[in-house]
């Protein structure tokens, strides 16, 4: 199976029950469900199961010792939650997830290749200009 590639920016609002609409163009990738990870910074990451398995395998391959591998495994297993799309293509974000990502009602979904990031608009407004500055710097070093 080919891993999905997620791209673009999508502003949404949670409904009164804390459900988030997954963009229609991405729903087929989550027909068997997905996994939400409480990410390193105040955001969430929505992966397909295959996408998360591949991401964890790549992270584990970079680990140089057993303790690092155990911590990587513990992080991804303790900070992730299986989610199912309902008939309207929504997933439920728990209060813990929303609190971690500092999400009230408005959200910004951003494609991140192997997964979709779920941001509060305030956090994305901080992150986006940093990316626009850092990536050219990184690319300049590699050329």
């Amino acid at each position: 199976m080919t891993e999905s590639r997620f791209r673009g920016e999508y502003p949404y609002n949670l409904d009164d029950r804390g459900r988030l609409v997954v963009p229609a163009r991405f729903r087929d990738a989550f027909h068997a469900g997905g996994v939400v990870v409480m990410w390193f910074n105040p955001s969430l990451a929505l992966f397909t199961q295959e996408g998360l398995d591949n991401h964890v395998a790549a992270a584990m391959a970079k680990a140089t010792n057993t303790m690092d591998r155990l911590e990587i495994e513990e992080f991804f297993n303790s900070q992730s939650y299986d989610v199912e799309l309902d008939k309207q293509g929504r997933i439920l974000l728990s209060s813990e997830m929303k609190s971690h990502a500092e999400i009230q009602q408005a959200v910004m979904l951003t494609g991140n290749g192997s997964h979709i990031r779920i941001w509060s608009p305030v956090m994305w407004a901080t992150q986006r200009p940093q990316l626009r500055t850092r990536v050219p710097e990184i690319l300049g070093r590699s050329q």
Side-chain angles (χ1 to χ4, degrees):
M1 183 177 206
T2 303
E3 187 175 321
S4 297
R5 299 300 292 171
F6 303 106
R7 296 179 176 87
E9 295 180 6
Y10 306 87
Y12 282 95
N13 285 307
L14 301 180
D15 68 12
D16 293 339
R17 294 184 178 173
R19 294 175 296 195
L20 173 64
V21 174
V22 173
R25 68 181 305 136
F26 300 141
R27 290 181 195 159
D28 285 347
F30 297 100
H31 71 277
V35 183
V36 174
V37 180
M38 292 193 296
W39 210 240
F40 308 107
N41 55 13
S43 69
L44 305 171
L46 173 62
F47 284 87
T48 63
Q49 184 61 58
E50 178 186 17
L52 182 60
D53 290 346
N54 291 341
H55 194 82
V56 172
M60 296 285 273
K62 292 178 182 177
T64 58
N65 61 60
T66 301
M67 186 52 113
D68 288 351
R69 285 187 286 282
L70 290 172
E71 288 178 350
I72 290 167
E73 186 173 32
E74 182 175 8
F75 172 81
F76 283 105
N77 286 316
S78 68
Q79 300 301 299
S80 63
Y81 299 88
D82 295 333
V83 293
E84 298 289 329
L85 268 67
D86 66 13
K87 292 178 183 176
Q88 287 76 38
R90 301 172 297 195
I91 60 170
L92 179 63
L93 298 182
S94 70
S95 58
E96 181 182 13
M97 290 178 199
K98 291 184 289 187
S99 176
H100 171 77
E102 302 176 10
I103 292 171
Q104 301 296 316
Q105 185 177 19
V107 297
M108 178 61 79
L109 304 180
T110 62
N112 202 11
S114 65
H115 59 282
I116 299 169
R117 292 287 288 280
I118 305 169
W119 300 88
S120 76
V122 171
M123 290 303 300
W124 179 241
T126 301
Q127 179 71 11
R128 189 176 193 221
Q130 291 175 8
L131 288 173
R132 288 186 173 182
T133 300
R134 287 284 300 138
V135 171
E137 291 171 0
I138 293 166
L139 293 174
R141 285 191 300 229
S142 66
Q143 293 179 348

